[in-house]
Amino acid sequence: MKTDSTRTEELPIYASLIRERGDVVEEARAVAEETQHQMTQALNGVAAAPHETGAP
């Protein structure tokens, strides 16, 4: 799919669906970005834990 050359304004059916149902693609993108952020934090937390728990 060519997102650069094909804008939603040029696709009346797509624009109509967005108005009726919401922008599912954008919502999925946002959820994916948030999930990636959470997974990065979780993995960093797991990786950082052994270094933080040193011998007293």
Side-chain angles (χ1 to χ4, degrees):
M1 182 175 173
K2 296 180 181 179
T3 56
D4 294 335
S5 63
T6 307
R7 298 187 319 244
T8 58
E9 300 88 35
E10 297 170 357
L11 302 170
I13 294 171
Y14 185 71
S16 174
L17 285 172
I18 289 174
R19 280 192 304 274
E20 291 176 17
R21 309 274 175 147
D23 193 346
V24 176
V25 174
E26 180 56 35
E27 291 173 19
R29 182 179 297 119
V31 170
E33 288 174 358
E34 178 62 24
T35 301
Q36 184 177 17
H37 176 71
Q38 290 175 355
M39 292 304 299
T40 300
Q41 287 182 328
L43 290 173
N44 286 339
V46 170
H51 298 292
E52 294 175 0
T53 58

